[in-house]
Amino acid sequence: MSTEPGTASYPSRSAELLWGPRGRAGRGPRPGLSRDQIVTAAIAVADRDGVDALSMRRVAAELRVGTMSLYRYVPGKAELLDLMLDQVSDPGPGRGPAAGADWRQVMADHARGSRDLYLAHPWLLQVNWCRPVFGPNTLAGVELVIAGLAGLGLTDRERVTVMIAIDSYVTGFVRNQILYSRAAEETGISDEEFWATQHPVLERAMASGDYPELAKLAEDSFNAGWEESFEFGLQRLLDGVQALVDARRRPGYRSGSTA
Amino acid sequence: MSTEPGTASYPSRSAELLWGPRGRAGRGPRPGLSRDQIVTAAIAVADRDGVDALSMRRVAAELRVGTMSLYRYVPGKAELLDLMLDQVSDPGPGRGPAAGADWRQVMADHARGSRDLYLAHPWLLQVNWCRPVFGPNTLAGVELVIAGLAGLGLTDRERVTVMIAIDSYVTGFVRNQILYSRAAEETGISDEEFWATQHPVLERAMASGDYPELAKLAEDSFNAGWEESFEFGLQRLLDGVQALVDARRRPGYRSGSTA
DNA sequence: CTGATCTGCGTACGGCGTACTCAGAAGAGT
DNA sequence: ACTCTTCTGAGTACGCCGTACGCAGATCAG
């Protein structure tokens, strides 16, 4: 409390908001607004106009309400972002793993689902969360993955670490994709224009001889689609996990390296 | 130029700054400052006080100079960030791959090097780069990895995609680590205090029965160190690449899945 | 009806990035 | 040596931001 608020949320406050009862004392006037309304409006603004356009004033305007009224429902912007994260992580009702799916399918589905989520709400990866506060919906996703890794002979810690690895890959990949492709509209410069400005610079760099291997690459080496690249890396990662699972089942096997 | 600047840099301007000649016309007074000085000072501020404390006024104060003077050397904050990225990516002189290292060692070294870099300069992952502009140093890192993947029977496009996958994993992992561990000092709350506030909430969630598999996990399943977790995931990913390399060498082999 | 309590929100403060503007220093041309 | 062009340094100001504070009025307990 003594330090400046900065961008960081106060985790215990966010936890209360995420898990706490939504009771209300019956003394004053009825609230004309709800926390969910505010969170929904904020998500709409962030989706439509980007995270830079997300401000308390903007959200209030969206709801035709005074700016400071928001603070009756949300302690501050950081906590609002925490709530946005959890609301958007809601998988919807009845979203479980297909009954007969093997672990690899479950992991791949989860990875693709996360990717879709991040692409639909790019601000998820652009915001500096003070610290990931676990909300009910976030936790439900974790449960699904951990359950999908049950019964494979992995230790509990390995299951958790595999989950982290997959999440890291997805997060990092989509972050890259967003930086490259979404930024086009933010700068008002199309992808073609961007590469048109970069191309001569790169040509000169290649001609300099400082990057011999890069210069030898075929022209279209960087032209794989995002979707295709994502799948490729994901399958490599899952292949590696597969090797570990096989090793646990056939104890004679040795992995390419220990960890 | 017609649109608002926002957070996005103007890529052609950044490219000129990164690659362009540093010539100066000899007419006016000598510049009392240099772009490198500004970039260095900005990096110092970001490292010391965090990315939120990085402002043009702050950098100017660091250099005991008027705020607007910075704009004689750097078009704006976004471009300054681009320059910071490239300066910090300088691997130093004579940093090549060890001569006899196999590809796996080269990839692992590169991954660990990136990780160290990101941990040393967390703002690298917290800033929303408008778009990754390739600077000389960034490009040198790419060259190293692509060279390390030569001669393995992979296509050019596969080499690029493997590189992206490794970079995605590293980026995503360290981002997570930073969010969890670095945020402690920003909120002024220690790791213990944070978990102390989260623990009862999680206990109640586990007791609710909504997360059966999570509840069954051993208590210390999440307690693996960052370093250990990073290595584990990295080795899994490299195992997967290994499988692809092996498949290319023994054409009869089939991967766990195609991509 | 009274008093406590809660909501909505206007005002204001300090900080941000940066456009504009101008004084004055330094070299070029004569 | 003088002028003119050009460049640097920087103060001021504008429109954003998050949010602390305080007040008017609505609502309900007693």
Side-chain angles (χ1 to χ4, degrees):
Chain A
M1 193 75 60
S2 58
T3 66
E4 88 290 347
T7 322
S9 71
Y10 205 31
S12 60
R13 271 198 296 186
S14 284
E16 279 166 27
L17 293 175
L18 284 165
W19 297 92
R22 298 164 185 256
R24 101 172 189 84
R27 195 59 88 87
R30 263 117 214 295
L33 218 54
S34 76
R35 205 150 59 214
D36 280 346
Q37 272 178 64
I38 294 174
V39 174
T40 302
I43 291 171
V45 170
D47 286 345
R48 193 176 343 113
D49 300 324
V51 68
D52 288 334
L54 180 71
S55 69
M56 299 301 271
R57 286 172 228 261
R58 187 88 168 60
V59 173
E62 188 88 358
L63 292 167
R64 291 168 209 290
V65 137
T67 305
M68 294 313 293
S69 301
L70 301 183
Y71 288 88
R72 293 278 172 210
Y73 302 85
V74 168
K77 191 183 185 183
E79 288 84 359
L80 175 58
L81 287 165
D82 284 342
L83 293 170
M84 290 167 67
L85 168 63
D86 197 66
Q87 178 162 125
V88 111
S89 303
D90 187 350
R95 255 295 230 78
D102 67 337
W103 70 267
R104 192 161 176 137
Q105 197 65 43
V106 175
M107 294 305 112
D109 284 350
H110 174 76
R112 294 186 196 111
S114 296
R115 176 168 186 260
D116 292 344
L117 180 67
Y118 291 138
L119 288 178
H121 308 290
W123 45 269
L124 282 171
L125 295 178
Q126 295 180 290
V127 168
N128 292 328
W129 312 104
C130 98
R131 195 192 294 251
V133 177
F134 298 111
N137 294 326
T138 323
L139 220 48
V142 175
E143 164 74 14
L144 259 154
V145 173
I146 292 296
L149 291 171
L152 297 174
L154 301 181
T155 67
D156 285 358
R157 197 173 277 190
E158 281 171 339
R159 287 158 76 195
V160 170
T161 318
V162 166
M163 177 185 70
I164 293 175
I166 294 174
D167 183 62
S168 296
Y169 169 71
V170 174
T171 295
F173 188 97
V174 181
R175 177 175 179 272
N176 268 327
Q177 178 175 356
I178 290 171
L179 289 183
Y180 274 89
S181 58
R182 274 288 290 214
E185 56 210 56
E186 284 174 26
T187 52
I189 296 173
S190 77
D191 228 46
E192 290 77 25
E193 286 175 278
F194 173 72
W195 285 111
T197 67
Q198 297 294 85
H199 203 263
V201 166
L202 291 178
E203 279 298 317
R204 215 169 337 125
M206 292 304 109
S208 73
D210 291 335
Y211 313 101
E213 287 293 331
L214 281 179
K216 275 192 280 184
L217 286 181
E219 273 275 349
D220 66 344
S221 301
F222 287 86
N223 288 7
W226 289 110
E227 177 95 24
E228 185 187 336
S229 298
F230 178 79
E231 282 298 324
F232 178 88
L234 178 61
Q235 294 305 331
R236 298 293 78 70
L237 182 54
L238 294 180
D239 279 352
V241 176
Q242 181 95 62
L244 179 68
V245 170
D246 292 345
R248 285 281 182 282
R249 285 182 176 155
R250 287 181 283 110
Y253 177 89
R254 280 193 65 242
S255 145
S257 175
T258 62
Chain B
M1 196 69 62
S2 57
T3 65
E4 88 289 349
T7 322
S9 72
Y10 207 30
S12 61
R13 271 198 296 187
S14 284
E16 281 166 27
L17 293 175
L18 284 165
W19 297 91
R22 298 165 185 254
R24 101 173 192 84
R27 197 58 88 86
R30 263 116 214 295
L33 217 53
S34 77
R35 204 150 61 214
D36 280 346
Q37 272 179 64
I38 294 174
V39 174
T40 302
I43 291 172
V45 170
D47 285 346
R48 192 175 343 114
D49 300 325
V51 69
D52 289 333
L54 181 71
S55 70
M56 298 302 271
R57 287 173 228 261
R58 187 87 169 61
V59 173
E62 188 88 359
L63 293 166
R64 290 168 209 289
V65 136
T67 305
M68 293 315 292
S69 301
L70 301 183
Y71 288 87
R72 293 277 170 212
Y73 302 86
V74 168
K77 190 183 184 180
E79 288 84 358
L80 174 57
L81 287 166
D82 286 341
L83 293 169
M84 290 167 67
L85 168 63
D86 197 67
Q87 177 163 126
V88 112
S89 302
D90 187 349
R95 255 295 231 80
D102 68 338
W103 70 268
R104 193 162 175 137
Q105 196 65 42
V106 174
M107 295 304 112
D109 283 350
H110 174 76
R112 293 186 197 111
S114 297
R115 176 169 187 260
D116 292 344
L117 181 66
Y118 291 138
L119 289 178
H121 308 289
W123 45 268
L124 282 171
L125 295 178
Q126 295 180 289
V127 168
N128 292 328
W129 311 102
C130 97
R131 195 191 294 254
V133 177
F134 299 110
N137 295 326
T138 324
L139 219 48
V142 174
E143 165 74 14
L144 258 152
V145 173
I146 292 297
L149 290 171
L152 298 175
L154 301 182
T155 67
D156 284 357
R157 196 174 277 189
E158 281 171 340
R159 286 158 76 195
V160 170
T161 318
V162 166
M163 177 186 69
I164 293 175
I166 293 175
D167 184 61
S168 295
Y169 169 72
V170 174
T171 295
F173 188 97
V174 181
R175 177 175 179 273
N176 268 327
Q177 177 174 356
I178 289 171
L179 289 183
Y180 274 89
S181 58
R182 274 289 288 215
E185 56 209 56
E186 284 174 24
T187 51
I189 296 173
S190 77
D191 229 46
E192 290 77 24
E193 286 174 278
F194 173 72
W195 285 112
T197 67
Q198 297 294 83
H199 203 263
V201 167
L202 290 177
E203 279 296 318
R204 217 170 333 127
M206 290 305 108
S208 73
D210 291 335
Y211 313 101
E213 287 293 331
L214 282 180
K216 275 192 280 184
L217 286 180
E219 274 275 351
D220 66 344
S221 302
F222 287 87
N223 289 7
W226 288 110
E227 177 95 25
E228 185 188 337
S229 298
F230 178 79
E231 282 297 324
F232 178 89
L234 177 61
Q235 294 304 331
R236 298 293 77 70
L237 182 55
L238 293 181
D239 279 352
V241 176
Q242 182 96 61
L244 180 69
V245 171
D246 292 346
R248 285 283 181 281
R249 285 181 175 157
R250 289 179 281 111
Y253 176 89
R254 280 193 65 241
S255 146
S257 174
T258 62

